[in-house]
Amino acid sequence: MNPSSRLSPPVLVSRSRARVPAAYSDDIEQLLISAPRIRSRVTEMARVIAEDYHGKRLVVVALLNGTILFLAYLIRHFEFPLSMDLIGVSSYRGGTSSGELEYTKRLKLDLRDQHVLVVDDILDTGKTLCAVKAELARQHPASLRTCVLLDKPDGRKTDCEADYVGFIVPHLFVVGYGLDYDERYRNLPFVGVLRPHVYGPGSAP
Ligand code: XMP
């Protein structure tokens, strides 16, 4: 299968006209992508992906934990049988900045000869998606594609790109819609930029 060209290109998001809800305005400086805009784009992504995999048995592999909201909204649009599994990956924070990954949850499904779609929250340096793709490719799937809600191309340190991209965002630390800072903000229905006082001077995430 060739990557789809039917998905309209992702738009670079710089600011939303929507106001940050009062309950979050102490912590969130700017609302980047509103909830309706996310819903509309994810619905479009789901429609194109469903067309691309028409008649094929799809295995969705999602990365924990940041994909939870995106994944739930995406796959509820797929009106065909699919299998799904979750993979847990985190980068070693303590001793090294080498970008090595630690698997906190392994896959249960056998991917051999399956059409696999990897779902992640955000593509930044690309190290995570690159490493996960390489790991899954060892199982010899029939096809292997990737889908991300957000893409931060200015952070890229690998040649890894995603096949389906929701939005392109500036090189800022974003939270909400599954994305966290210190395990907070995952529940926000929008994507926003944190105020610097939340992570403290000199300790930007
Ligand atoms: P890489 O750099 O490997 O990053 O492409 C992928 C993972 O890093 C996390 N990440 C972020 N998390 N706001 C977040 O909440 C961000 O702006 C951000 N940038 C990267 C995320 O877990 C992602 O899967």
Side-chain angles (χ1 to χ4, degrees), residues 120-128 152 172-174 179-180:
D120 200 6
D121 51 1
I122 184 164
L123 180 60
D124 187 358
T125 64
K127 287 177 184 170
T128 308
K152 236 197 255 183
L172 295 168
F173 195 80
V174 295
L179 290 142
D180 75 309

Side-chain angles (χ1 to χ4, degrees), residues 153-166:
D154 293 344
R156 204 75 88 249
K157 292 190 177 142
T158 62
D159 60 3
C160 190
E161 299 298 334
D163 297 301
Y164 305 94
V165 175

Side-chain angles (χ1 to χ4, degrees), residues 32-70:
L32 268 189
I33 317 173
S34 68
R37 202 168 174 198
I38 296 173
R39 279 199 297 274
S40 146
R41 179 65 175 170
V42 178
T43 302
E44 184 197 349
M45 293 171 84
R47 181 183 48 76
V48 170
I49 292 169
E51 285 169 11
D52 286 353
Y53 287 92
H54 180 75
K56 299 191 170 64
R57 178 94 195 186
L58 177 62
V59 178
V60 173
V61 172
L63 273 70
L64 291 170
N65 297 329
T67 53
I68 46 175
L69 271 68
F70 174 41

